[in-house]
Amino acid sequence: MFENLQDRLGTILNGLTGRGALSDADVAAAMREVRRALIEADVSLDVVRSFTDKVRAKAVGADVLKSIKPGQMVVKIVHDELVDMLGAEGVAIDLNAPAPVIIMMVGLQGSGKTTTSAKIAKRLTDRQGKKVLMASLDTRRPAAQEQLRQLGEQTKVSTLPIIAGQSPVEIARRAEQAGRLGGYDVVILDTAGRTHIDEPLMVEMADIKSAARPHEILLVADSLTGQDAVNLARNFDERVGITGLVLTRMDGDGRGGAALSMRAVTGKPIKLIGTGEKMDALEEFFPKRIADRILG
Ligand code: GDP
């Protein structure tokens, strides 16, 4: 295992108490360790850079050397800054719009979109008594539509009947109409992904957005995404305009750096995290927990 940041900074800084000010060399050495810890946690490089700049400014300004353990104090500055950058905890899905409220799920193939759609539908049904309709707009993989239908059956959430040959936009319109006529509170649109971002995917997402006018657009992303996290989040946000993030596979052994990267480039709240394959493995986001995890 990696030596944690506290130990590393302790080695560098704890012998320096009582000297008045940190030298440039001490600060540089400490920031190198901070940078190393974040890169090991899979935070994107440009986010690491802006983060260490902020921490450096605070560490130089703070009375680091007056504290008994300067290493610990820098760790606290790093931790606080991480929590701050990760954003608020417990930001709920916004249902404050005329029914049916449309939630559009976007993301790459395999990120956990379909699973998360069903988890969210179940959560809104069980906890908030909402009447939810789910629709799969994935016309590229017929198995995807069937997968959502089965998850609907399993969670006792309605799914839009599958009609072969319809385009994603046609399905989105039909879902909105079925939601309206059927007295549903929420309609969740599970869109198709790709293995990587490409132009047709972005055009398809934009077309669905114009047709369905979703109130929430949630980017579902695998928390194990490494350096691609920034590109992924930036592209979806610039081209489609997301309202929030859901990070899946937080039950894995990744350190969750993607959370910081995606939040940093989009400024959008992390609304929920996926913590397993089961339908109730969906939790609220607590920035402190992720900060602890990033620091190891
Ligand atoms: P999609 O292609 O984006 O719709 O992805 P799926 O919803 O089909 O998910 C792909 C795989 O990831 C499935 O086997 C899911 O059970 C699994 N999965 C989704 N979310 C999580 C999660 O939070 N934790 C774990 N361990 N597995 C997940």
PDB file of all heavy atoms in Angstrom, residues 109-149:
ATOM      1  N   GLN A 109     -21.258   3.890 -22.419  1.00  0.00           N
ATOM      2  CA  GLN A 109     -21.740   2.518 -22.290  1.00  0.00           C
ATOM      3  C   GLN A 109     -21.016   1.819 -21.149  1.00  0.00           C
ATOM      4  O   GLN A 109     -19.796   1.961 -21.016  1.00  0.00           O
ATOM      5  CB  GLN A 109     -21.449   1.799 -23.602  1.00  0.00           C
ATOM      6  CG  GLN A 109     -22.127   0.473 -23.754  1.00  0.00           C
ATOM      7  CD  GLN A 109     -21.882  -0.063 -25.157  1.00  0.00           C
ATOM      8  OE1 GLN A 109     -22.170   0.606 -26.137  1.00  0.00           O
ATOM      9  NE2 GLN A 109     -21.343  -1.256 -25.243  1.00  0.00           N
ATOM     10  N   GLY A 110     -21.764   1.126 -20.328  1.00  0.00           N
ATOM     11  CA  GLY A 110     -21.143   0.378 -19.241  1.00  0.00           C
ATOM     12  C   GLY A 110     -20.896   1.196 -17.990  1.00  0.00           C
ATOM     13  O   GLY A 110     -20.382   0.691 -16.994  1.00  0.00           O
ATOM     14  N   SER A 111     -21.270   2.484 -18.025  1.00  0.00           N
ATOM     15  CA  SER A 111     -21.020   3.330 -16.851  1.00  0.00           C
ATOM     16  C   SER A 111     -21.990   3.009 -15.709  1.00  0.00           C
ATOM     17  O   SER A 111     -21.726   3.357 -14.556  1.00  0.00           O
ATOM     18  CB  SER A 111     -21.140   4.811 -17.229  1.00  0.00           C
ATOM     19  OG  SER A 111     -22.430   5.071 -17.735  1.00  0.00           O
ATOM     20  N   GLY A 112     -23.097   2.360 -16.052  1.00  0.00           N
ATOM     21  CA  GLY A 112     -24.089   2.024 -15.024  1.00  0.00           C
ATOM     22  C   GLY A 112     -25.378   2.813 -15.180  1.00  0.00           C
ATOM     23  O   GLY A 112     -26.161   2.931 -14.236  1.00  0.00           O
ATOM     24  N   LYS A 113     -25.618   3.344 -16.378  1.00  0.00           N
ATOM     25  CA  LYS A 113     -26.802   4.181 -16.614  1.00  0.00           C
ATOM     26  C   LYS A 113     -28.114   3.438 -16.365  1.00  0.00           C
ATOM     27  O   LYS A 113     -28.993   3.943 -15.677  1.00  0.00           O
ATOM     28  CB  LYS A 113     -26.820   4.636 -18.076  1.00  0.00           C
ATOM     29  CG  LYS A 113     -26.363   6.036 -18.283  1.00  0.00           C
ATOM     30  CD  LYS A 113     -26.534   6.493 -19.707  1.00  0.00           C
ATOM     31  CE  LYS A 113     -25.880   5.736 -20.783  1.00  0.00           C
ATOM     32  NZ  LYS A 113     -25.384   4.493 -20.872  1.00  0.00           N
ATOM     33  N   THR A 114     -28.224   2.266 -16.969  1.00  0.00           N
ATOM     34  CA  THR A 114     -29.496   1.536 -16.869  1.00  0.00           C
ATOM     35  C   THR A 114     -29.757   1.112 -15.424  1.00  0.00           C
ATOM     36  O   THR A 114     -30.850   1.299 -14.889  1.00  0.00           O
ATOM     37  CB  THR A 114     -29.457   0.296 -17.803  1.00  0.00           C
ATOM     38  OG1 THR A 114     -29.138   0.762 -19.119  1.00  0.00           O
ATOM     39  CG2 THR A 114     -30.781  -0.414 -17.830  1.00  0.00           C
ATOM     40  N   THR A 115     -28.714   0.565 -14.803  1.00  0.00           N
ATOM     41  CA  THR A 115     -28.833   0.159 -13.403  1.00  0.00           C
ATOM     42  C   THR A 115     -29.216   1.356 -12.532  1.00  0.00           C
ATOM     43  O   THR A 115     -30.113   1.269 -11.688  1.00  0.00           O
ATOM     44  CB  THR A 115     -27.473  -0.392 -12.907  1.00  0.00           C
ATOM     45  OG1 THR A 115     -26.978  -1.308 -13.872  1.00  0.00           O
ATOM     46  CG2 THR A 115     -27.603  -1.070 -11.573  1.00  0.00           C
ATOM     47  N   THR A 116     -28.541   2.485 -12.759  1.00  0.00           N
ATOM     48  CA  THR A 116     -28.788   3.678 -11.940  1.00  0.00           C
ATOM     49  C   THR A 116     -30.189   4.244 -12.198  1.00  0.00           C
ATOM     50  O   THR A 116     -30.844   4.723 -11.268  1.00  0.00           O
ATOM     51  CB  THR A 116     -27.703   4.744 -12.212  1.00  0.00           C
ATOM     52  OG1 THR A 116     -26.419   4.150 -12.001  1.00  0.00           O
ATOM     53  CG2 THR A 116     -27.850   5.932 -11.288  1.00  0.00           C
ATOM     54  N   SER A 117     -30.640   4.160 -13.454  1.00  0.00           N
ATOM     55  CA  SER A 117     -32.011   4.623 -13.760  1.00  0.00           C
ATOM     56  C   SER A 117     -33.008   3.869 -12.882  1.00  0.00           C
ATOM     57  O   SER A 117     -33.887   4.471 -12.261  1.00  0.00           O
ATOM     58  CB  SER A 117     -32.362   4.359 -15.232  1.00  0.00           C
ATOM     59  OG  SER A 117     -31.499   5.065 -16.082  1.00  0.00           O
ATOM     60  N   ALA A 118     -32.838   2.548 -12.843  1.00  0.00           N
ATOM     61  CA  ALA A 118     -33.775   1.727 -12.063  1.00  0.00           C
ATOM     62  C   ALA A 118     -33.618   1.980 -10.565  1.00  0.00           C
ATOM     63  O   ALA A 118     -34.600   2.022  -9.816  1.00  0.00           O
ATOM     64  CB  ALA A 118     -33.553   0.249 -12.383  1.00  0.00           C
ATOM     65  N   LYS A 119     -32.376   2.188 -10.116  1.00  0.00           N
ATOM     66  CA  LYS A 119     -32.159   2.471  -8.689  1.00  0.00           C
ATOM     67  C   LYS A 119     -32.849   3.783  -8.298  1.00  0.00           C
ATOM     68  O   LYS A 119     -33.463   3.882  -7.237  1.00  0.00           O
ATOM     69  CB  LYS A 119     -30.662   2.621  -8.397  1.00  0.00           C
ATOM     70  CG  LYS A 119     -29.861   1.330  -8.386  1.00  0.00           C
ATOM     71  CD  LYS A 119     -28.391   1.699  -8.147  1.00  0.00           C
ATOM     72  CE  LYS A 119     -27.459   0.514  -8.084  1.00  0.00           C
ATOM     73  NZ  LYS A 119     -26.056   0.929  -7.908  1.00  0.00           N
ATOM     74  N   ILE A 120     -32.701   4.800  -9.155  1.00  0.00           N
ATOM     75  CA  ILE A 120     -33.318   6.101  -8.856  1.00  0.00           C
ATOM     76  C   ILE A 120     -34.839   5.972  -8.879  1.00  0.00           C
ATOM     77  O   ILE A 120     -35.538   6.487  -8.002  1.00  0.00           O
ATOM     78  CB  ILE A 120     -32.833   7.179  -9.859  1.00  0.00           C
ATOM     79  CG1 ILE A 120     -31.368   7.520  -9.585  1.00  0.00           C
ATOM     80  CG2 ILE A 120     -33.694   8.440  -9.771  1.00  0.00           C
ATOM     81  CD1 ILE A 120     -30.741   8.520 -10.553  1.00  0.00           C
ATOM     82  N   ALA A 121     -35.357   5.229  -9.870  1.00  0.00           N
ATOM     83  CA  ALA A 121     -36.807   5.038  -9.955  1.00  0.00           C
ATOM     84  C   ALA A 121     -37.328   4.373  -8.685  1.00  0.00           C
ATOM     85  O   ALA A 121     -38.330   4.795  -8.101  1.00  0.00           O
ATOM     86  CB  ALA A 121     -37.143   4.182 -11.179  1.00  0.00           C
ATOM     87  N   LYS A 122     -36.611   3.367  -8.224  1.00  0.00           N
ATOM     88  CA  LYS A 122     -37.022   2.640  -7.022  1.00  0.00           C
ATOM     89  C   LYS A 122     -36.981   3.557  -5.801  1.00  0.00           C
ATOM     90  O   LYS A 122     -37.876   3.569  -4.965  1.00  0.00           O
ATOM     91  CB  LYS A 122     -36.109   1.426  -6.821  1.00  0.00           C
ATOM     92  CG  LYS A 122     -36.479   0.563  -5.619  1.00  0.00           C
ATOM     93  CD  LYS A 122     -35.645  -0.689  -5.622  1.00  0.00           C
ATOM     94  CE  LYS A 122     -35.746  -1.565  -4.392  1.00  0.00           C
ATOM     95  NZ  LYS A 122     -36.673  -1.232  -3.352  1.00  0.00           N
ATOM     96  N   ARG A 123     -35.919   4.339  -5.728  1.00  0.00           N
ATOM     97  CA  ARG A 123     -35.755   5.248  -4.590  1.00  0.00           C
ATOM     98  C   ARG A 123     -36.883   6.284  -4.542  1.00  0.00           C
ATOM     99  O   ARG A 123     -37.457   6.551  -3.480  1.00  0.00           O
ATOM    100  CB  ARG A 123     -34.406   5.946  -4.756  1.00  0.00           C
ATOM    101  CG  ARG A 123     -33.929   6.745  -3.565  1.00  0.00           C
ATOM    102  CD  ARG A 123     -32.592   7.362  -3.959  1.00  0.00           C
ATOM    103  NE  ARG A 123     -32.065   8.229  -2.942  1.00  0.00           N
ATOM    104  CZ  ARG A 123     -31.192   7.849  -2.022  1.00  0.00           C
ATOM    105  NH1 ARG A 123     -30.754   6.626  -1.993  1.00  0.00           N
ATOM    106  NH2 ARG A 123     -30.757   8.697  -1.120  1.00  0.00           N
ATOM    107  N   LEU A 124     -37.206   6.868  -5.709  1.00  0.00           N
ATOM    108  CA  LEU A 124     -38.263   7.884  -5.740  1.00  0.00           C
ATOM    109  C   LEU A 124     -39.615   7.254  -5.410  1.00  0.00           C
ATOM    110  O   LEU A 124     -40.469   7.878  -4.780  1.00  0.00           O
ATOM    111  CB  LEU A 124     -38.310   8.561  -7.117  1.00  0.00           C
ATOM    112  CG  LEU A 124     -37.083   9.396  -7.509  1.00  0.00           C
ATOM    113  CD1 LEU A 124     -37.228   9.933  -8.931  1.00  0.00           C
ATOM    114  CD2 LEU A 124     -36.876  10.557  -6.521  1.00  0.00           C
ATOM    115  N   THR A 125     -39.801   6.002  -5.827  1.00  0.00           N
ATOM    116  CA  THR A 125     -41.053   5.303  -5.544  1.00  0.00           C
ATOM    117  C   THR A 125     -41.148   4.972  -4.054  1.00  0.00           C
ATOM    118  O   THR A 125     -42.126   5.305  -3.390  1.00  0.00           O
ATOM    119  CB  THR A 125     -41.119   3.975  -6.349  1.00  0.00           C
ATOM    120  OG1 THR A 125     -40.865   4.269  -7.720  1.00  0.00           O
ATOM    121  CG2 THR A 125     -42.472   3.318  -6.231  1.00  0.00           C
ATOM    122  N   ASP A 126     -40.106   4.337  -3.531  1.00  0.00           N
ATOM    123  CA  ASP A 126     -40.141   3.849  -2.146  1.00  0.00           C
ATOM    124  C   ASP A 126     -40.091   4.988  -1.126  1.00  0.00           C
ATOM    125  O   ASP A 126     -40.795   4.969  -0.128  1.00  0.00           O
ATOM    126  CB  ASP A 126     -38.944   2.916  -1.864  1.00  0.00           C
ATOM    127  CG  ASP A 126     -39.045   1.620  -2.657  1.00  0.00           C
ATOM    128  OD1 ASP A 126     -40.099   1.408  -3.299  1.00  0.00           O
ATOM    129  OD2 ASP A 126     -38.085   0.833  -2.633  1.00  0.00           O
ATOM    130  N   ARG A 127     -39.221   5.950  -1.370  1.00  0.00           N
ATOM    131  CA  ARG A 127     -39.002   6.971  -0.331  1.00  0.00           C
ATOM    132  C   ARG A 127     -39.902   8.185  -0.471  1.00  0.00           C
ATOM    133  O   ARG A 127     -40.166   8.871   0.506  1.00  0.00           O
ATOM    134  CB  ARG A 127     -37.556   7.462  -0.370  1.00  0.00           C
ATOM    135  CG  ARG A 127     -36.580   6.355  -0.097  1.00  0.00           C
ATOM    136  CD  ARG A 127     -35.231   6.933   0.217  1.00  0.00           C
ATOM    137  NE  ARG A 127     -34.275   5.854   0.382  1.00  0.00           N
ATOM    138  CZ  ARG A 127     -33.062   6.015   0.847  1.00  0.00           C
ATOM    139  NH1 ARG A 127     -32.648   7.220   1.188  1.00  0.00           N
ATOM    140  NH2 ARG A 127     -32.236   4.989   0.972  1.00  0.00           N
ATOM    141  N   GLN A 128     -40.292   8.499  -1.735  1.00  0.00           N
ATOM    142  CA  GLN A 128     -41.066   9.726  -1.915  1.00  0.00           C
ATOM    143  C   GLN A 128     -42.458   9.464  -2.470  1.00  0.00           C
ATOM    144  O   GLN A 128     -43.200  10.393  -2.754  1.00  0.00           O
ATOM    145  CB  GLN A 128     -40.297  10.703  -2.832  1.00  0.00           C
ATOM    146  CG  GLN A 128     -39.046  11.253  -2.148  1.00  0.00           C
ATOM    147  CD  GLN A 128     -38.208  12.134  -3.073  1.00  0.00           C
ATOM    148  OE1 GLN A 128     -37.105  11.771  -3.452  1.00  0.00           O
ATOM    149  NE2 GLN A 128     -38.740  13.285  -3.448  1.00  0.00           N
ATOM    150  N   GLY A 129     -42.791   8.175  -2.609  1.00  0.00           N
ATOM    151  CA  GLY A 129     -44.130   7.809  -3.075  1.00  0.00           C
ATOM    152  C   GLY A 129     -44.442   8.299  -4.480  1.00  0.00           C
ATOM    153  O   GLY A 129     -45.609   8.523  -4.824  1.00  0.00           O
ATOM    154  N   LYS A 130     -43.404   8.465  -5.296  1.00  0.00           N
ATOM    155  CA  LYS A 130     -43.630   8.979  -6.650  1.00  0.00           C
ATOM    156  C   LYS A 130     -44.047   7.862  -7.594  1.00  0.00           C
ATOM    157  O   LYS A 130     -43.627   6.712  -7.439  1.00  0.00           O
ATOM    158  CB  LYS A 130     -42.346   9.631  -7.192  1.00  0.00           C
ATOM    159  CG  LYS A 130     -41.862  10.825  -6.391  1.00  0.00           C
ATOM    160  CD  LYS A 130     -42.825  11.978  -6.481  1.00  0.00           C
ATOM    161  CE  LYS A 130     -42.352  13.173  -5.662  1.00  0.00           C
ATOM    162  NZ  LYS A 130     -43.394  14.191  -5.531  1.00  0.00           N
ATOM    163  N   LYS A 131     -44.875   8.247  -8.563  1.00  0.00           N
ATOM    164  CA  LYS A 131     -45.244   7.300  -9.618  1.00  0.00           C
ATOM    165  C   LYS A 131     -44.280   7.535 -10.783  1.00  0.00           C
ATOM    166  O   LYS A 131     -44.245   8.621 -11.360  1.00  0.00           O
ATOM    167  CB  LYS A 131     -46.694   7.571 -10.037  1.00  0.00           C
ATOM    168  CG  LYS A 131     -47.269   6.531 -10.955  1.00  0.00           C
ATOM    169  CD  LYS A 131     -48.749   6.813 -11.257  1.00  0.00           C
ATOM    170  CE  LYS A 131     -49.199   5.925 -12.405  1.00  0.00           C
ATOM    171  NZ  LYS A 131     -50.516   6.253 -12.900  1.00  0.00           N
ATOM    172  N   VAL A 132     -43.455   6.519 -11.056  1.00  0.00           N
ATOM    173  CA  VAL A 132     -42.349   6.710 -11.997  1.00  0.00           C
ATOM    174  C   VAL A 132     -42.512   5.803 -13.223  1.00  0.00           C
ATOM    175  O   VAL A 132     -42.909   4.644 -13.107  1.00  0.00           O
ATOM    176  CB  VAL A 132     -40.988   6.387 -11.310  1.00  0.00           C
ATOM    177  CG1 VAL A 132     -39.827   6.660 -12.259  1.00  0.00           C
ATOM    178  CG2 VAL A 132     -40.819   7.194 -10.023  1.00  0.00           C
ATOM    179  N   LEU A 133     -42.189   6.369 -14.384  1.00  0.00           N
ATOM    180  CA  LEU A 133     -42.159   5.601 -15.633  1.00  0.00           C
ATOM    181  C   LEU A 133     -40.734   5.645 -16.175  1.00  0.00           C
ATOM    182  O   LEU A 133     -40.116   6.709 -16.203  1.00  0.00           O
ATOM    183  CB  LEU A 133     -43.117   6.235 -16.658  1.00  0.00           C
ATOM    184  CG  LEU A 133     -43.139   5.603 -18.055  1.00  0.00           C
ATOM    185  CD1 LEU A 133     -43.775   4.210 -18.015  1.00  0.00           C
ATOM    186  CD2 LEU A 133     -43.921   6.495 -19.040  1.00  0.00           C
ATOM    187  N   MET A 134     -40.214   4.488 -16.575  1.00  0.00           N
ATOM    188  CA  MET A 134     -38.866   4.463 -17.172  1.00  0.00           C
ATOM    189  C   MET A 134     -38.977   4.095 -18.653  1.00  0.00           C
ATOM    190  O   MET A 134     -39.833   3.300 -19.031  1.00  0.00           O
ATOM    191  CB  MET A 134     -37.983   3.408 -16.496  1.00  0.00           C
ATOM    192  CG  MET A 134     -37.780   3.608 -15.012  1.00  0.00           C
ATOM    193  SD  MET A 134     -36.493   2.506 -14.369  1.00  0.00           S
ATOM    194  CE  MET A 134     -37.305   0.903 -14.384  1.00  0.00           C
ATOM    195  N   ALA A 135     -38.074   4.676 -19.456  1.00  0.00           N
ATOM    196  CA  ALA A 135     -38.043   4.326 -20.877  1.00  0.00           C
ATOM    197  C   ALA A 135     -36.604   4.207 -21.334  1.00  0.00           C
ATOM    198  O   ALA A 135     -35.776   5.064 -21.019  1.00  0.00           O
ATOM    199  CB  ALA A 135     -38.772   5.387 -21.693  1.00  0.00           C
ATOM    200  N   SER A 136     -36.307   3.139 -22.070  1.00  0.00           N
ATOM    201  CA  SER A 136     -34.968   2.991 -22.644  1.00  0.00           C
ATOM    202  C   SER A 136     -34.962   3.571 -24.049  1.00  0.00           C
ATOM    203  O   SER A 136     -35.779   3.213 -24.892  1.00  0.00           O
ATOM    204  CB  SER A 136     -34.569   1.514 -22.700  1.00  0.00           C
ATOM    205  OG  SER A 136     -33.404   1.393 -23.496  1.00  0.00           O
ATOM    206  N   LEU A 137     -34.027   4.483 -24.293  1.00  0.00           N
ATOM    207  CA  LEU A 137     -33.897   5.108 -25.614  1.00  0.00           C
ATOM    208  C   LEU A 137     -32.722   4.501 -26.375  1.00  0.00           C
ATOM    209  O   LEU A 137     -32.258   5.059 -27.367  1.00  0.00           O
ATOM    210  CB  LEU A 137     -33.670   6.617 -25.455  1.00  0.00           C
ATOM    211  CG  LEU A 137     -34.910   7.506 -25.269  1.00  0.00           C
ATOM    212  CD1 LEU A 137     -35.822   7.014 -24.178  1.00  0.00           C
ATOM    213  CD2 LEU A 137     -34.495   8.948 -25.012  1.00  0.00           C
ATOM    214  N   ASP A 138     -32.253   3.365 -25.878  1.00  0.00           N
ATOM    215  CA  ASP A 138     -31.096   2.727 -26.501  1.00  0.00           C
ATOM    216  C   ASP A 138     -31.555   1.834 -27.644  1.00  0.00           C
ATOM    217  O   ASP A 138     -31.881   0.659 -27.448  1.00  0.00           O
ATOM    218  CB  ASP A 138     -30.313   1.923 -25.465  1.00  0.00           C
ATOM    219  CG  ASP A 138     -28.951   1.490 -26.002  1.00  0.00           C
ATOM    220  OD1 ASP A 138     -28.768   1.521 -27.245  1.00  0.00           O
ATOM    221  OD2 ASP A 138     -28.082   1.124 -25.193  1.00  0.00           O
ATOM    222  N   THR A 139     -31.588   2.408 -28.856  1.00  0.00           N
ATOM    223  CA  THR A 139     -32.045   1.641 -30.016  1.00  0.00           C
ATOM    224  C   THR A 139     -30.883   0.913 -30.682  1.00  0.00           C
ATOM    225  O   THR A 139     -31.073   0.127 -31.593  1.00  0.00           O
ATOM    226  CB  THR A 139     -32.692   2.587 -31.045  1.00  0.00           C
ATOM    227  OG1 THR A 139     -31.756   3.636 -31.329  1.00  0.00           O
ATOM    228  CG2 THR A 139     -33.958   3.195 -30.500  1.00  0.00           C
ATOM    229  N   ARG A 140     -29.674   1.185 -30.225  1.00  0.00           N
ATOM    230  CA  ARG A 140     -28.503   0.515 -30.815  1.00  0.00           C
ATOM    231  C   ARG A 140     -28.361  -0.898 -30.291  1.00  0.00           C
ATOM    232  O   ARG A 140     -27.886  -1.781 -30.980  1.00  0.00           O
ATOM    233  CB  ARG A 140     -27.233   1.301 -30.487  1.00  0.00           C
ATOM    234  CG  ARG A 140     -27.153   2.633 -31.214  1.00  0.00           C
ATOM    235  CD  ARG A 140     -26.152   3.558 -30.548  1.00  0.00           C
ATOM    236  NE  ARG A 140     -24.843   2.945 -30.366  1.00  0.00           N
ATOM    237  CZ  ARG A 140     -23.871   2.979 -31.266  1.00  0.00           C
ATOM    238  NH1 ARG A 140     -24.056   3.606 -32.389  1.00  0.00           N
ATOM    239  NH2 ARG A 140     -22.713   2.399 -31.015  1.00  0.00           N
ATOM    240  N   ARG A 141     -28.733  -1.083 -29.022  1.00  0.00           N
ATOM    241  CA  ARG A 141     -28.615  -2.411 -28.424  1.00  0.00           C
ATOM    242  C   ARG A 141     -29.985  -2.842 -27.930  1.00  0.00           C
ATOM    243  O   ARG A 141     -30.407  -2.423 -26.847  1.00  0.00           O
ATOM    244  CB  ARG A 141     -27.645  -2.375 -27.239  1.00  0.00           C
ATOM    245  CG  ARG A 141     -26.181  -2.153 -27.612  1.00  0.00           C
ATOM    246  CD  ARG A 141     -25.288  -2.374 -26.401  1.00  0.00           C
ATOM    247  NE  ARG A 141     -25.787  -1.687 -25.212  1.00  0.00           N
ATOM    248  CZ  ARG A 141     -25.928  -2.236 -24.025  1.00  0.00           C
ATOM    249  NH1 ARG A 141     -25.632  -3.497 -23.827  1.00  0.00           N
ATOM    250  NH2 ARG A 141     -26.373  -1.526 -23.003  1.00  0.00           N
ATOM    251  N   PRO A 142     -30.697  -3.653 -28.700  1.00  0.00           N
ATOM    252  CA  PRO A 142     -32.034  -4.088 -28.276  1.00  0.00           C
ATOM    253  C   PRO A 142     -32.005  -4.707 -26.881  1.00  0.00           C
ATOM    254  O   PRO A 142     -32.968  -4.577 -26.111  1.00  0.00           O
ATOM    255  CB  PRO A 142     -32.418  -5.119 -29.331  1.00  0.00           C
ATOM    256  CG  PRO A 142     -31.577  -4.785 -30.527  1.00  0.00           C
ATOM    257  CD  PRO A 142     -30.307  -4.202 -29.994  1.00  0.00           C
ATOM    258  N   ALA A 143     -30.898  -5.349 -26.521  1.00  0.00           N
ATOM    259  CA  ALA A 143     -30.808  -5.975 -25.197  1.00  0.00           C
ATOM    260  C   ALA A 143     -30.917  -4.933 -24.092  1.00  0.00           C
ATOM    261  O   ALA A 143     -31.364  -5.240 -22.979  1.00  0.00           O
ATOM    262  CB  ALA A 143     -29.492  -6.733 -25.068  1.00  0.00           C
ATOM    263  N   ALA A 144     -30.540  -3.696 -24.394  1.00  0.00           N
ATOM    264  CA  ALA A 144     -30.590  -2.642 -23.374  1.00  0.00           C
ATOM    265  C   ALA A 144     -32.034  -2.336 -22.991  1.00  0.00           C
ATOM    266  O   ALA A 144     -32.355  -2.139 -21.815  1.00  0.00           O
ATOM    267  CB  ALA A 144     -29.909  -1.374 -23.899  1.00  0.00           C
ATOM    268  N   GLN A 145     -32.906  -2.309 -23.993  1.00  0.00           N
ATOM    269  CA  GLN A 145     -34.315  -2.031 -23.707  1.00  0.00           C
ATOM    270  C   GLN A 145     -34.912  -3.153 -22.868  1.00  0.00           C
ATOM    271  O   GLN A 145     -35.675  -2.915 -21.930  1.00  0.00           O
ATOM    272  CB  GLN A 145     -35.105  -1.880 -25.012  1.00  0.00           C
ATOM    273  CG  GLN A 145     -34.552  -0.743 -25.865  1.00  0.00           C
ATOM    274  CD  GLN A 145     -35.502  -0.337 -26.987  1.00  0.00           C
ATOM    275  OE1 GLN A 145     -36.717  -0.419 -26.868  1.00  0.00           O
ATOM    276  NE2 GLN A 145     -34.949   0.110 -28.096  1.00  0.00           N
ATOM    277  N   GLU A 146     -34.530  -4.372 -23.206  1.00  0.00           N
ATOM    278  CA  GLU A 146     -35.006  -5.531 -22.460  1.00  0.00           C
ATOM    279  C   GLU A 146     -34.454  -5.512 -21.024  1.00  0.00           C
ATOM    280  O   GLU A 146     -35.152  -5.847 -20.076  1.00  0.00           O
ATOM    281  CB  GLU A 146     -34.595  -6.815 -23.218  1.00  0.00           C
ATOM    282  CG  GLU A 146     -34.956  -8.120 -22.557  1.00  0.00           C
ATOM    283  CD  GLU A 146     -36.439  -8.279 -22.215  1.00  0.00           C
ATOM    284  OE1 GLU A 146     -37.283  -7.598 -22.810  1.00  0.00           O
ATOM    285  OE2 GLU A 146     -36.731  -9.098 -21.302  1.00  0.00           O
ATOM    286  N   GLN A 147     -33.211  -5.096 -20.891  1.00  0.00           N
ATOM    287  CA  GLN A 147     -32.588  -5.011 -19.551  1.00  0.00           C
ATOM    288  C   GLN A 147     -33.381  -4.059 -18.645  1.00  0.00           C
ATOM    289  O   GLN A 147     -33.666  -4.360 -17.489  1.00  0.00           O
ATOM    290  CB  GLN A 147     -31.148  -4.509 -19.698  1.00  0.00           C
ATOM    291  CG  GLN A 147     -30.356  -4.476 -18.400  1.00  0.00           C
ATOM    292  CD  GLN A 147     -29.053  -3.667 -18.539  1.00  0.00           C
ATOM    293  OE1 GLN A 147     -28.673  -3.261 -19.647  1.00  0.00           O
ATOM    294  NE2 GLN A 147     -28.387  -3.414 -17.431  1.00  0.00           N
ATOM    295  N   LEU A 148     -33.767  -2.912 -19.199  1.00  0.00           N
ATOM    296  CA  LEU A 148     -34.521  -1.942 -18.392  1.00  0.00           C
ATOM    297  C   LEU A 148     -35.907  -2.499 -18.046  1.00  0.00           C
ATOM    298  O   LEU A 148     -36.389  -2.327 -16.923  1.00  0.00           O
ATOM    299  CB  LEU A 148     -34.647  -0.602 -19.128  1.00  0.00           C
ATOM    300  CG  LEU A 148     -35.227   0.523 -18.253  1.00  0.00           C
ATOM    301  CD1 LEU A 148     -34.236   0.970 -17.180  1.00  0.00           C
ATOM    302  CD2 LEU A 148     -35.654   1.729 -19.087  1.00  0.00           C
ATOM    303  N   ARG A 149     -36.503  -3.185 -19.020  1.00  0.00           N
ATOM    304  CA  ARG A 149     -37.830  -3.776 -18.765  1.00  0.00           C
ATOM    305  C   ARG A 149     -37.747  -4.760 -17.592  1.00  0.00           C
ATOM    306  O   ARG A 149     -38.576  -4.737 -16.688  1.00  0.00           O
ATOM    307  CB  ARG A 149     -38.349  -4.485 -20.026  1.00  0.00           C
ATOM    308  CG  ARG A 149     -39.828  -4.841 -19.972  1.00  0.00           C
ATOM    309  CD  ARG A 149     -40.235  -5.797 -21.084  1.00  0.00           C
ATOM    310  NE  ARG A 149     -39.587  -7.106 -20.964  1.00  0.00           N
ATOM    311  CZ  ARG A 149     -39.889  -8.022 -20.055  1.00  0.00           C
ATOM    312  NH1 ARG A 149     -40.854  -7.789 -19.188  1.00  0.00           N
ATOM    313  NH2 ARG A 149     -39.238  -9.171 -19.997  1.00  0.00           N
TER     314      ARG A 149
END
